[in-house]
C-alpha cells in the first residue's frame, strides 16, 4: 500500500573526478587565486540534494580555504551538472552512483574519489488521491526525468507489480519542474527525490 510516498530506493552519492587519461579535460581557468598559488582551480558541480548541499557548510565556513584547497563549487540543476561535466566544463561533479553510468555511457570517463552520503528513502513515487498501489498506476501518465535514478526506481516498481512500461505513459520532465508538472490534471504520479518530493506533495492536495 502507498503511505506518504510509497516506494524508495537506496542511493550513494559520490564525487566523480575526471581522470587524467580520458575525455573530460581540466578547463583552462585563470583567476587571481590560481595565479598566486600556481595551481589550477578545481571546479566541482553540485545541486539541490541533501547529500550534496552539506558541502555548502564547508563553503560558507571557509573550511576549504583554511585547508589550502583551491576549489570552486558551481551550482546547477542536477541533470545540468552531469551535462556540464560531460562537456568538460567541470573537473568533478557530485552524482549518485547509478547516474554515473549515464555520464559514462556518453563516453565521459571518470573515477569516483569519495562517497559523500548514503540514502535510503530519499527517492519516492508520489501519486494523487485515489491511487493506493503501484498496480493502480496502470494506464496512467507518470512523469520523471528519463535516464536518471528515479526512472530506474519507477521501472523497478512497475516490474515488481508486473506492469509493462507500455501500459503507462511516461512523461519526461526536468526534476526541478516536477511539482508543477504533477499539478497538471493529466499526470497521475511522479518519481522524484527530496527536496523536490516535498514540494510536489504540497503542490497537490491529497497526494501521497
Amino acid at each position: 500500500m502507498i503511505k506518504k510516498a510509497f516506494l524508495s530506493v537506496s542511493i550513494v552519492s559520490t564525487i566523480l573526478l575526471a581522470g587524467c587519461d580520458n575525455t573530460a579535460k581540466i578547463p583552462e581557468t585563470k583567476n587571481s587565486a590560481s595565479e598566486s598559488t600556481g595551481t589550477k582551480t578545481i571546479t566541482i558541480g553540485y545541486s539541490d540534494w541533501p547529500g550534496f548541499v552539506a558541502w555548502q557548510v564547508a563553503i560558507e565556513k571557509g573550511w576549504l580555504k583554511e585547508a589550502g584547497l583551491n576549489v570552486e563549487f558551481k551550482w546547477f540543476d542536477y541533470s545540468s551538472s552531469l551535462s556540464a561535466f560531460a562537456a568538460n566544463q567541470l573537473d568533478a561533479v557530485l552524482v549518485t552512483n547509478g547516474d554515473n553510468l549515464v555520464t559514462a555511457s556518453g563516453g565521459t570517463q571518470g573515477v569516483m574519489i569519495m562517497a559523500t552520503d548514503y540514502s535510503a528513502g530519499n527517492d519516492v513515487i508520489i501519486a494523487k488521491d485515489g491511487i493506493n498501489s503501484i498496480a493502480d498506476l496502470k494506464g496512467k501518465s507518470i512523469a520523471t526525468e528519463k535516464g536518471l535514478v528515479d526512472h530506474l526506481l519507477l521501472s523497478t516498481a512497475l516490474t515488481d507489480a508486473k506492469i509493462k512500461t507500455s501500459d503507462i505513459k511516461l512523461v519526461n520532465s526536468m526534476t526541478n519542474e516536477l511539482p508543477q508538472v504533477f499539478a497538471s490534471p493529466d499526470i497521475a504520479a511522479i518519481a522524484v527525490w527530496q527536496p523536490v518530493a516535498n514540494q510536489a506533495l504540497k503542490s497537490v492536495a491529497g497526494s501521497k
Side-chain angles (χ1 to χ4, degrees):
M1 293 292 289
I2 305 177
K3 294 187 178 178
K4 185 68 175 178
F6 57 87
L7 190 65
S8 66
V9 63
S10 297
I11 60 173
V12 178
S13 66
T14 61
I15 292 182
L16 184 68
L17 183 69
C20 297
D21 60 345
N22 57 43
T23 57
K25 302 301 182 183
I26 297 175
E28 292 295 331
T29 57
K30 291 184 178 181
N31 53 44
S32 57
S34 61
E35 289 173 356
S36 62
T37 62
T39 60
K40 292 181 179 179
T41 300
I42 300 298
T43 57
I44 302 174
Y46 72 130
S47 52
D48 193 10
W49 184 76
F52 300 160
V53 296
W55 285 93
Q56 192 65 34
V57 177
I59 295 167
E60 294 183 5
K61 294 288 187 179
W63 293 339
L64 299 169
K65 290 183 178 179
E66 288 179 9
L69 301 176
N70 192 6
V71 178
E72 178 186 4
F73 276 80
K74 292 187 176 182
W75 185 263
F76 292 86
D77 290 332
Y78 178 64
S79 56
S80 297
S81 70
L82 304 187
S83 298
F85 181 75
N88 307 325
Q89 296 170 1
L90 296 168
D91 300 308
V93 67
L94 285 154
V95 61
T96 69
N97 57 343
D99 290 342
N100 172 45
L101 299 177
V102 177
T103 303
S105 68
T108 302
Q109 300 176 23
V111 58
M112 291 184 180
I113 62 168
M114 179 187 293
T116 65
D117 194 25
Y118 178 84
S119 170
N122 183 71
D123 298 78
V124 293
I125 296 172
I126 298 173
K128 289 180 176 174
D129 190 29
I131 298 174
N132 298 304
S133 69
I134 297 294
D136 291 341
L137 295 176
K138 188 173 182 178
K140 303 291 196 304
S141 294
I142 308 171
T144 194
E145 187 161 357
K146 287 184 178 180
L148 298 186
V149 63
D150 285 328
H151 187 187
L152 173 62
L153 169 66
L154 176 62
S155 177
T156 302
L158 293 174
T159 298
D160 289 348
K162 296 180 172 54
I163 298 174
K164 297 178 181 178
T165 54
S166 59
D167 288 335
I168 62 131
K169 180 180 179 182
L170 185 63
V171 179
N172 187 30
S173 301
M174 294 286 290
T175 297
N176 63 309
E177 297 174 358
L178 281 171
Q180 293 79 15
V181 172
F182 188 44
S184 167
D186 298 330
I187 301 298
I190 59 173
V192 68
W193 61 77
Q194 296 288 7
V196 183
N198 274 346
Q199 296 168 13
L201 286 166
K202 292 177 182 178
S203 72
V204 177
S207 60
K208 52 192 177 294

